[in-house]
Amino acid sequence: MATEIFLQEHRIVVGLDYGTTYSGGAHGDTSQNSIDNIKVIRRWPGKERRDEVKCPSDIAYGADGTYRWGYLIPPGLARLAWAKLDLDEDSFYENQENGEDYVDLQESFTETLESVEDEFPMVEGMRHNPFNKSPVDVVADYLTAFHDVIMSNLRRAQGENFINRTAIDWVMTVPAVWSEKAQSLTREAASRAGIGQRDKDRLFLVSEPEAAAVYAISELYQRDSTRNNPNMLNVGDTFVLCDAGGGTVDLISYRVGQLQPSLGLSEVAVGSGAKCGSTFVDRNLLKLLRRKIGDQRFQILCQKKDGMVLNKMVSEFEGVKRSLGPLYLPGSDSYLPMPGFANDPAAGIIEGQFELTHGELKGCFDPIMEQIIELIQGQIDAICGTGSVPKYVFLVGGFGESDYLMSRLSAHNFGTAGRIEIISPDDAWSAVSRGAVLRGLDGCLVENRRCRRNYGTRINTIFDPTIHHEEDAFYSTDTGMKMARNQVSWIVQKGVDTDSNTKFQLKCGTTFQKDEKLRRGATLVASDLDIAPHSYRDKSVHDLCFLMADLSMVPESEFDLVNINGQTCLSAQFTIEMAFESAEIKFQLYFKGNCYGQVKTTFH
């Protein structure tokens, strides 16, 4: 595929993992494509220690329009957090068995966020957007600063002259089940930030779990290649990749197609995911805190030092979260700083601290654990449905480093598959950015992907009383036949293989006047149901994007002449081809076997 990553000359590859709560970057170059030669960005403005592989994804706007970001934001300052999720605010994550379950999850996420903002002033301060900027504007601002830091790191490491004359491939990752609109907005924000905009630089989007899978397998083989390890993956083996981050948890299942001379993977099941990352554990803590100390004290806590006290509690909770695991002694209590409040043991306030019991701490985690287990179970069931049993579940991402999550998954019985070995590779928090670099160095290693939804267009068709509703019936003025409007012709079915060599075609035809510039549009619709409905009226069907085909550059002599009501007109039959990449759909226009470039796409 022309837009896939194929490296000819010497190039630098940067992997960019823009996350909900933290973001990271890594880089390598084509002269050394070993995993050991990938360098992770560890120098961040405002951070004294220089060994952090990620930087907070927060941004804070000042009254003069300037902004601070990441570690440069002082504690307690109003900020805009979780901006990444706003790029996909209109979409929802689908469950393979029942889409309604995940509609409920998305509504629950929206309701939780709104209620948290309304009830918790400190959290409202974490969603501070004084200029009412759009999500893509906010993300572009953050990525501008992020891009500058990466370029500064590259120049420091390799010299300004070398960087200025060497092309860079930017491989940016997005959630596997990101909507097409969110993918487009992510690319727009990155481009506005200057990413991939230098001469000869390029920007690619890759799914987060695909990048993480490349890293996990490469880490397993490159570092253990000298060992005779019977537990290594073999050709034909399957595994689940679970990328658990701050906002989202994404999963894809793969089958190993080949190991030599390079890694080859194919998707076994349609990717799944949900907004149930580690930030939801924090929100459960806030609910618990408010419930135990009461509304009045909670409001005072939120207002103390402009929210800095509560902010400090949430920050300290990060360490408590990390401590929860198999070595955590049942009955042990944790304490979070809560200065300035009188002792009230019944409310958990003891000597200026908030007491968090072992059971309460688990209670903050367990609802999220159940959602993640359910997601993994869905992928395992899909693999078992193919006659295979997954050998491993690879757990990556910041939340993927949780000992408690690891122990819960390791102890869980996954139905007919039983217990499955859970592997968290080294440097799991930076697995996505490292894998993105490997993906850029080695090209596309996933040979086949599964289409995540159904794609089609609205049509009129011959009326069938067993399928169509009378409210959609009409009689054609040309043929007199009874027809049905508001129907859908599905071009791509959910779950089908979408390898790089497969093109899906939307065939179009039109007539137009001589001397008219030929531009025609078509609306692409989508449905996330496993079985696509016939009717456009079905609640699962939604307008996805508007495709504008521009044939104005085609010589008029190339079109066919037709007679319409005694008038000579021109006729054109053209095709819009859809090609599925890791995290994008590419649309190209073809007329009489010639390609006339990409089709302008406007997402709804």
PDB file of all heavy atoms in Angstrom, residues 481-498:
ATOM      1  N   MET A 481     -42.359   0.914 -10.804  1.00  0.00           N
ATOM      2  CA  MET A 481     -42.202  -0.156  -9.822  1.00  0.00           C
ATOM      3  C   MET A 481     -42.279   0.398  -8.400  1.00  0.00           C
ATOM      4  O   MET A 481     -41.905   1.540  -8.133  1.00  0.00           O
ATOM      5  CB  MET A 481     -40.860  -0.873 -10.023  1.00  0.00           C
ATOM      6  CG  MET A 481     -40.744  -1.608 -11.347  1.00  0.00           C
ATOM      7  SD  MET A 481     -39.170  -2.488 -11.486  1.00  0.00           S
ATOM      8  CE  MET A 481     -39.336  -3.682 -10.158  1.00  0.00           C
ATOM      9  N   LYS A 482     -42.752  -0.462  -7.504  1.00  0.00           N
ATOM     10  CA  LYS A 482     -42.794  -0.102  -6.092  1.00  0.00           C
ATOM     11  C   LYS A 482     -41.383  -0.230  -5.519  1.00  0.00           C
ATOM     12  O   LYS A 482     -40.734  -1.273  -5.628  1.00  0.00           O
ATOM     13  CB  LYS A 482     -43.754  -1.010  -5.326  1.00  0.00           C
ATOM     14  CG  LYS A 482     -44.015  -0.565  -3.886  1.00  0.00           C
ATOM     15  CD  LYS A 482     -45.075  -1.435  -3.213  1.00  0.00           C
ATOM     16  CE  LYS A 482     -45.407  -0.936  -1.821  1.00  0.00           C
ATOM     17  NZ  LYS A 482     -46.446  -1.773  -1.156  1.00  0.00           N
ATOM     18  N   MET A 483     -40.917   0.838  -4.910  1.00  0.00           N
ATOM     19  CA  MET A 483     -39.548   0.903  -4.402  1.00  0.00           C
ATOM     20  C   MET A 483     -39.548   1.169  -2.898  1.00  0.00           C
ATOM     21  O   MET A 483     -40.576   1.545  -2.317  1.00  0.00           O
ATOM     22  CB  MET A 483     -38.768   2.016  -5.117  1.00  0.00           C
ATOM     23  CG  MET A 483     -38.791   1.944  -6.633  1.00  0.00           C
ATOM     24  SD  MET A 483     -37.823   0.548  -7.266  1.00  0.00           S
ATOM     25  CE  MET A 483     -36.171   1.113  -6.878  1.00  0.00           C
ATOM     26  N   ALA A 484     -38.387   0.968  -2.282  1.00  0.00           N
ATOM     27  CA  ALA A 484     -38.199   1.273  -0.858  1.00  0.00           C
ATOM     28  C   ALA A 484     -37.035   2.253  -0.730  1.00  0.00           C
ATOM     29  O   ALA A 484     -35.940   1.985  -1.223  1.00  0.00           O
ATOM     30  CB  ALA A 484     -37.919   0.005  -0.069  1.00  0.00           C
ATOM     31  N   ARG A 485     -37.308   3.386  -0.100  1.00  0.00           N
ATOM     32  CA  ARG A 485     -36.242   4.355   0.181  1.00  0.00           C
ATOM     33  C   ARG A 485     -35.649   4.079   1.570  1.00  0.00           C
ATOM     34  O   ARG A 485     -36.101   3.212   2.293  1.00  0.00           O
ATOM     35  CB  ARG A 485     -36.781   5.783   0.116  1.00  0.00           C
ATOM     36  CG  ARG A 485     -37.908   6.062   1.108  1.00  0.00           C
ATOM     37  CD  ARG A 485     -38.225   7.546   1.165  1.00  0.00           C
ATOM     38  NE  ARG A 485     -38.717   8.033  -0.093  1.00  0.00           N
ATOM     39  CZ  ARG A 485     -40.006   8.062  -0.452  1.00  0.00           C
ATOM     40  NH1 ARG A 485     -40.939   7.550   0.362  1.00  0.00           N
ATOM     41  NH2 ARG A 485     -40.362   8.555  -1.617  1.00  0.00           N
ATOM     42  N   ASN A 486     -34.603   4.820   1.905  1.00  0.00           N
ATOM     43  CA  ASN A 486     -33.965   4.713   3.224  1.00  0.00           C
ATOM     44  C   ASN A 486     -33.419   3.309   3.503  1.00  0.00           C
ATOM     45  O   ASN A 486     -33.499   2.808   4.624  1.00  0.00           O
ATOM     46  CB  ASN A 486     -34.938   5.111   4.345  1.00  0.00           C
ATOM     47  CG  ASN A 486     -35.312   6.572   4.291  1.00  0.00           C
ATOM     48  OD1 ASN A 486     -34.474   7.428   4.021  1.00  0.00           O
ATOM     49  ND2 ASN A 486     -36.585   6.859   4.529  1.00  0.00           N
ATOM     50  N   GLN A 487     -32.845   2.696   2.462  1.00  0.00           N
ATOM     51  CA  GLN A 487     -32.197   1.409   2.645  1.00  0.00           C
ATOM     52  C   GLN A 487     -30.681   1.586   2.562  1.00  0.00           C
ATOM     53  O   GLN A 487     -30.184   2.639   2.147  1.00  0.00           O
ATOM     54  CB  GLN A 487     -32.678   0.412   1.582  1.00  0.00           C
ATOM     55  CG  GLN A 487     -34.196   0.258   1.524  1.00  0.00           C
ATOM     56  CD  GLN A 487     -34.808  -0.084   2.869  1.00  0.00           C
ATOM     57  OE1 GLN A 487     -34.438  -1.093   3.477  1.00  0.00           O
ATOM     58  NE2 GLN A 487     -35.729   0.749   3.339  1.00  0.00           N
ATOM     59  N   VAL A 488     -29.947   0.569   2.958  1.00  0.00           N
ATOM     60  CA  VAL A 488     -28.496   0.667   2.972  1.00  0.00           C
ATOM     61  C   VAL A 488     -27.888  -0.472   2.165  1.00  0.00           C
ATOM     62  O   VAL A 488     -28.285  -1.633   2.310  1.00  0.00           O
ATOM     63  CB  VAL A 488     -27.933   0.615   4.408  1.00  0.00           C
ATOM     64  CG1 VAL A 488     -26.413   0.774   4.392  1.00  0.00           C
ATOM     65  CG2 VAL A 488     -28.566   1.692   5.274  1.00  0.00           C
ATOM     66  N   SER A 489     -26.940  -0.116   1.312  1.00  0.00           N
ATOM     67  CA  SER A 489     -26.125  -1.114   0.622  1.00  0.00           C
ATOM     68  C   SER A 489     -24.792  -1.180   1.355  1.00  0.00           C
ATOM     69  O   SER A 489     -24.033  -0.192   1.373  1.00  0.00           O
ATOM     70  CB  SER A 489     -25.910  -0.716  -0.838  1.00  0.00           C
ATOM     71  OG  SER A 489     -24.987  -1.585  -1.464  1.00  0.00           O
ATOM     72  N   TRP A 490     -24.492  -2.321   1.969  1.00  0.00           N
ATOM     73  CA  TRP A 490     -23.281  -2.450   2.772  1.00  0.00           C
ATOM     74  C   TRP A 490     -22.101  -2.861   1.897  1.00  0.00           C
ATOM     75  O   TRP A 490     -22.145  -3.882   1.214  1.00  0.00           O
ATOM     76  CB  TRP A 490     -23.493  -3.447   3.904  1.00  0.00           C
ATOM     77  CG  TRP A 490     -24.529  -2.962   4.878  1.00  0.00           C
ATOM     78  CD1 TRP A 490     -25.802  -3.424   5.034  1.00  0.00           C
ATOM     79  CD2 TRP A 490     -24.383  -1.885   5.810  1.00  0.00           C
ATOM     80  NE1 TRP A 490     -26.470  -2.709   5.994  1.00  0.00           N
ATOM     81  CE2 TRP A 490     -25.616  -1.759   6.497  1.00  0.00           C
ATOM     82  CE3 TRP A 490     -23.338  -1.017   6.135  1.00  0.00           C
ATOM     83  CZ2 TRP A 490     -25.821  -0.788   7.484  1.00  0.00           C
ATOM     84  CZ3 TRP A 490     -23.545  -0.059   7.108  1.00  0.00           C
ATOM     85  CH2 TRP A 490     -24.772   0.044   7.776  1.00  0.00           C
ATOM     86  N   ILE A 491     -21.065  -2.035   1.921  1.00  0.00           N
ATOM     87  CA  ILE A 491     -19.882  -2.269   1.102  1.00  0.00           C
ATOM     88  C   ILE A 491     -18.884  -3.155   1.834  1.00  0.00           C
ATOM     89  O   ILE A 491     -18.251  -4.022   1.242  1.00  0.00           O
ATOM     90  CB  ILE A 491     -19.209  -0.920   0.761  1.00  0.00           C
ATOM     91  CG1 ILE A 491     -20.220   0.019   0.083  1.00  0.00           C
ATOM     92  CG2 ILE A 491     -17.990  -1.118  -0.131  1.00  0.00           C
ATOM     93  CD1 ILE A 491     -19.748   1.461   0.035  1.00  0.00           C
ATOM     94  N   VAL A 492     -18.738  -2.919   3.142  1.00  0.00           N
ATOM     95  CA  VAL A 492     -17.792  -3.676   3.965  1.00  0.00           C
ATOM     96  C   VAL A 492     -18.531  -4.193   5.189  1.00  0.00           C
ATOM     97  O   VAL A 492     -19.222  -3.431   5.865  1.00  0.00           O
ATOM     98  CB  VAL A 492     -16.600  -2.799   4.420  1.00  0.00           C
ATOM     99  CG1 VAL A 492     -15.525  -3.660   5.065  1.00  0.00           C
ATOM    100  CG2 VAL A 492     -16.029  -2.007   3.256  1.00  0.00           C
ATOM    101  N   GLN A 493     -18.392  -5.473   5.462  1.00  0.00           N
ATOM    102  CA  GLN A 493     -19.072  -6.090   6.601  1.00  0.00           C
ATOM    103  C   GLN A 493     -18.144  -6.146   7.804  1.00  0.00           C
ATOM    104  O   GLN A 493     -16.932  -6.353   7.661  1.00  0.00           O
ATOM    105  CB  GLN A 493     -19.516  -7.516   6.242  1.00  0.00           C
ATOM    106  CG  GLN A 493     -20.439  -7.607   5.044  1.00  0.00           C
ATOM    107  CD  GLN A 493     -21.846  -7.119   5.338  1.00  0.00           C
ATOM    108  OE1 GLN A 493     -22.273  -7.110   6.499  1.00  0.00           O
ATOM    109  NE2 GLN A 493     -22.567  -6.718   4.302  1.00  0.00           N
ATOM    110  N   LYS A 494     -18.695  -5.957   8.970  1.00  0.00           N
ATOM    111  CA  LYS A 494     -17.924  -6.052  10.208  1.00  0.00           C
ATOM    112  C   LYS A 494     -17.303  -7.445  10.332  1.00  0.00           C
ATOM    113  O   LYS A 494     -17.962  -8.451  10.095  1.00  0.00           O
ATOM    114  CB  LYS A 494     -18.832  -5.777  11.415  1.00  0.00           C
ATOM    115  CG  LYS A 494     -18.113  -5.846  12.759  1.00  0.00           C
ATOM    116  CD  LYS A 494     -19.064  -5.529  13.909  1.00  0.00           C
ATOM    117  CE  LYS A 494     -18.360  -5.632  15.250  1.00  0.00           C
ATOM    118  NZ  LYS A 494     -19.269  -5.324  16.379  1.00  0.00           N
ATOM    119  N   GLY A 495     -16.016  -7.472  10.709  1.00  0.00           N
ATOM    120  CA  GLY A 495     -15.335  -8.739  10.941  1.00  0.00           C
ATOM    121  C   GLY A 495     -14.589  -9.297   9.747  1.00  0.00           C
ATOM    122  O   GLY A 495     -13.797 -10.233   9.904  1.00  0.00           O
ATOM    123  N   VAL A 496     -14.785  -8.721   8.544  1.00  0.00           N
ATOM    124  CA  VAL A 496     -14.091  -9.266   7.374  1.00  0.00           C
ATOM    125  C   VAL A 496     -12.616  -8.875   7.429  1.00  0.00           C
ATOM    126  O   VAL A 496     -12.228  -7.902   8.077  1.00  0.00           O
ATOM    127  CB  VAL A 496     -14.714  -8.766   6.051  1.00  0.00           C
ATOM    128  CG1 VAL A 496     -16.177  -9.150   5.971  1.00  0.00           C
ATOM    129  CG2 VAL A 496     -14.523  -7.270   5.890  1.00  0.00           C
ATOM    130  N   ASP A 497     -11.783  -9.667   6.757  1.00  0.00           N
ATOM    131  CA  ASP A 497     -10.363  -9.348   6.679  1.00  0.00           C
ATOM    132  C   ASP A 497     -10.160  -8.101   5.822  1.00  0.00           C
ATOM    133  O   ASP A 497     -10.773  -7.958   4.758  1.00  0.00           O
ATOM    134  CB  ASP A 497      -9.578 -10.509   6.065  1.00  0.00           C
ATOM    135  CG  ASP A 497      -9.461 -11.686   7.028  1.00  0.00           C
ATOM    136  OD1 ASP A 497      -9.565 -11.453   8.245  1.00  0.00           O
ATOM    137  OD2 ASP A 497      -9.270 -12.819   6.560  1.00  0.00           O
ATOM    138  N   THR A 498      -9.294  -7.227   6.290  1.00  0.00           N
ATOM    139  CA  THR A 498      -8.987  -6.009   5.531  1.00  0.00           C
ATOM    140  C   THR A 498      -7.476  -5.891   5.392  1.00  0.00           C
ATOM    141  O   THR A 498      -6.848  -5.002   5.960  1.00  0.00           O
ATOM    142  CB  THR A 498      -9.551  -4.754   6.221  1.00  0.00           C
ATOM    143  OG1 THR A 498      -9.050  -4.693   7.571  1.00  0.00           O
ATOM    144  CG2 THR A 498     -11.065  -4.794   6.271  1.00  0.00           C
TER     145      THR A 498
END
